[in-house]
Amino acid sequence: NAGVMQNPRHLVRRRGQEARLRCSPMKGHSHVYWYRQLPEEGLKFMVYLQKENIIDESGMPKERFSAEFPKEGPSILRIQQVVRGDSAAYFCASSPQGAEEKLFFGSGTQLSVL
Amino acid sequence: GESVGLHLPTLSVQEGDNSIINCAYSNSASDYFIWYKQESGKGPQFIIDIRSNMDKRQGQRVTVLLNKTVKHLSLQIAATQPGDSAVYFCAENIGKAAGNKLTFGGGTRVLVKP
């Protein structure tokens, strides 16, 4: 059973470009969470999604950031018009129905904005 | 609760000794706690969890202790090995009403000396 899969592992963008980060949850998991981590810090919650629904986006900036988890395919975290401050590691986690609080994390996408 | 800092606290431990990592959590309503291990360049890896109706739980070489009175969580690692070198995070969950999102502590770096 494959774990949470994220791609790409590393993403380099210039200021003003768009970044798309993908996450495929573990098989059988219907809940997806996105977290952001700066060096030497803990993970900060961004958004919680179920299939086709955003449940909680309280940790996600209102501007430039969006997330989706379509009926088919991976969850996407999209950052438009990236700025240097967006450089960070972005982690996706998934959890199964009935044990939603037990999160399993992917290996993350390291976003570097030049 | 969440803490932000430039440097992680570090615990240096001799190989074979026991390690104790401490964590203070912020919300008395939190009812579920997880310890994660994060190695450099990787995502957080689930170690052990505990619910608020318990005060101790044991796994393989690890024990988690929960003191709800003082809102304190600890992780004990028996016979620490070089492979235990990593950053350890505690995380608290205040339940379904709050969207099951985990709030991470600031982390402790464990360095195992041979």
Side-chain angles (χ1 to χ4, degrees):
Chain A
N1 186 12
V4 177
M5 304 300 291
Q6 289 187 250
N7 69 83
R9 286 283 280 130
H10 301 275
L11 183 61
V12 179
R13 285 288 177 266
R14 296 191 181 280
R15 282 179 295 170
Q17 292 184 318
E18 178 179 286
R20 279 183 179 245
L21 288 64
R22 293 174 187 76
C23 170
S24 295
M26 288 179 71
K27 189 176 179 181
H29 287 193
S30 55
H31 302 258
V32 165
Y33 301 77
W34 284 94
Y35 281 78
R36 169 189 159 113
Q37 185 179 36
L38 293 172
E40 301 287 294
E41 292 186 11
L43 283 76
K44 301 290 195 294
F45 169 79
M46 297 182 73
V47 61
Y48 165 33
L49 309 106
Q50 292 180 28
K51 283 284 188 183
E52 300 183 279
N53 285 308
I54 295 175
I55 306 302
D56 183 346
E57 56 182 347
S58 59
M60 198 158 67
K62 298 282 188 287
E63 307 287 329
R64 304 187 297 109
F65 285 73
S66 62
E68 63 176 11
F69 188 17
K71 189 176 179 182
E72 302 290 338
S75 175
I76 307 286
L77 179 67
R78 183 182 178 205
I79 311 173
Q80 295 178 288
Q81 298 175 317
V82 295
V83 301
R84 289 223 172 100
D86 297 332
S87 296
Y90 291 84
F91 290 97
C92 171
S94 72
S95 63
Q97 191 77 27
E100 291 88 349
E101 71 275 15
K102 194 167 184 175
L103 272 59
F104 294 89
F105 284 83
S107 297
T109 294
Q110 180 65 51
L111 173 65
S112 299
V113 180
L114 304 179
Chain B
E2 296 184 16
S3 63
V4 176
L6 292 176
H7 300 287
L8 292 171
T10 298
L11 174 68
S12 290
V13 60
Q14 201 70 39
E15 182 179 355
D17 288 351
N18 296 335
S19 303
I20 299 176
I21 307 162
N22 297 303
C23 176
Y25 63 93
S26 59
N27 196 320
S28 56
S30 294
D31 63 357
Y32 179 67
F33 304 87
I34 305 180
W35 278 100
Y36 285 94
K37 171 187 179 183
Q38 188 177 27
E39 296 173 279
S40 182
K42 296 185 179 180
Q45 176 188 353
F46 176 94
I47 301 174
I48 192 167
D49 58 357
I50 189 168
R51 296 203 176 275
S52 59
N53 60 354
M54 302 171 71
D55 52 24
K56 181 179 179 179
R57 190 156 188 238
Q58 287 186 286
Q60 189 177 13
R61 277 201 311 119
V62 294
T63 301
V64 55
L65 299 176
L66 175 62
N67 185 331
K68 294 182 286 295
T69 303
V70 295
K71 292 189 285 187
H72 183 267
L73 197 67
S74 68
L75 178 71
Q76 299 177 4
I77 305 174
T80 312
Q81 301 169 0
D84 295 327
S85 291
V87 177
Y88 290 80
F89 292 98
C90 66
E92 60 183 303
N93 185 311
I94 59 173
K96 201 167 187 176
N100 277 317
K101 57 179 179 276
L102 289 177
T103 299
F104 280 76
T108 298
R109 188 184 309 281
V110 171
L111 291 175
V112 181
K113 296 177 287 185

